[in-house]
Amino acid sequence: MTKSELIQRLAELNPHLYQRDVEKIVTTIFDEISEALARGDRVELRGFGAFSVKRRDARVGRNPRTGDSVQVTEKAIPFFKTGKQLRERLNTDE
Amino acid sequence: MPENTVTRALLSEAVYQEVGLSRNESADLVETVINEISDALARGEMVKISSFGSFSVRQKGRRVGRNPKTGEEVPIMPRRVLVFRASHVLKERVNRVAADTEDLGQTVRVG
């Protein structure tokens, strides 16, 4: 499923809404999650999962081709932990 | 770093502010979006949200694990797990703040 298929599906379920509003709803949700992560906040959606930001310390890495040492700066990476309910759903036959 | 937790309530509020539907309907729509994504994943489908990231379902084989407390060997059954991969856009957004708030002398990046 892609973002546009999700929008399509949401539009079908809500025929009273304008297509542009449905697009705005989906965009707003993911923008809001991204913004929260950019602030360093956690986003917890019970039953679905939680998004958070993990920090990776600066380290000396290596260029795998040449073997040269390279300084890798500290960085932040978005992380997702699956919620209990969804994890269980993935493992039950429906 | 003080860390706040964002929940469905804030997402609904944002939809309410942006789209101008009632608070109730905004909350219902947030729930529907989460449910549709969950349903697709439960069917084993991959979910790709451009400029955000993708969720995919991966099949894991049986392996032998260990109870860390007792050291006892326990079989871990084959199972399906969810993997989230953040898009480049999201990775950059998350890092822009880190680079702004801290004085990082180095700008060399690998990979």
Side-chain angles (χ1 to χ4, degrees):
Chain A
M1 182 165 78
T2 61
K3 185 176 169 184
S4 38
E5 284 163 0
L6 174 61
I7 290 167
Q8 206 43 54
R9 174 82 181 132
L10 203 60
E12 283 164 20
L13 293 170
N14 297 274
H16 63 291
L17 297 179
Y18 290 114
Q19 175 79 12
R20 62 174 158 82
D21 281 346
V22 177
E23 283 170 20
K24 214 169 179 187
I25 290 160
V26 173
T27 303
T28 300
I29 292 172
F30 291 105
D31 272 358
E32 209 60 31
I33 298 174
S34 303
E35 252 171 57
L37 294 173
R39 289 194 299 269
D41 288 350
R42 236 175 92 78
V43 179
E44 191 177 314
L45 303 172
R46 277 284 157 92
F48 180 74
F51 297 92
S52 59
V53 177
K54 291 202 169 181
R55 306 211 142 265
R56 292 280 177 267
D57 286 340
R59 63 186 170 87
V60 178
R62 265 178 203 285
N63 179 329
R65 198 179 307 211
T66 63
D68 293 346
S69 305
V70 203
Q71 184 64 39
V72 183
T73 53
E74 178 192 67
K75 61 180 171 185
I77 53 161
F79 179 79
F80 177 76
K81 184 174 190 288
T82 313
K84 193 174 175 224
Q85 212 180 304
L86 181 55
R87 202 184 327 130
E88 285 170 358
R89 241 189 109 182
L90 291 176
N91 290 291
T92 43
D93 298 314
E94 297 190 350
Chain B
M1 182 173 54
E3 185 192 78
N4 296 310
T5 301
V6 165
T7 60
R8 282 171 171 78
L10 195 95
L11 300 183
S12 306
E13 184 62 24
V15 169
Y16 168 73
Q17 298 283 347
E18 287 287 323
V19 190
L21 304 165
S22 73
R23 281 205 157 85
N24 261 336
E25 193 171 13
S26 302
D28 287 348
L29 285 158
V30 169
E31 207 53 49
T32 308
V33 167
I34 296 171
N35 286 341
E36 287 302 319
I37 296 174
S38 304
D39 290 353
L41 294 168
R43 290 193 299 267
E45 256 180 65
M46 185 175 181
V47 176
K48 277 187 192 171
I49 308 294
S50 62
S51 76
F52 181 75
S54 63
F55 300 89
S56 51
V57 180
R58 201 176 284 174
Q59 180 72 46
K60 295 265 196 171
R62 187 197 146 104
R63 67 185 169 91
V64 178
R66 224 172 250 285
N67 178 332
K69 208 171 284 184
T70 62
E72 199 185 336
E73 282 191 355
V74 202
I76 298 177
M77 292 304 156
R79 66 206 199 285
R80 294 200 299 169
V81 295
L82 185 53
V83 182
F84 173 69
R85 266 190 63 115
S87 74
H88 280 285
V89 180
L90 181 57
K91 281 185 189 165
E92 269 161 33
R93 260 181 104 170
V94 162
N95 272 287
R96 202 175 310 141
V97 175
D100 286 348
T101 52
E102 286 156 52
D103 189 24
L104 301 172
Q106 303 275 358
T107 48
V108 186
R109 281 176 64 177
V110 171

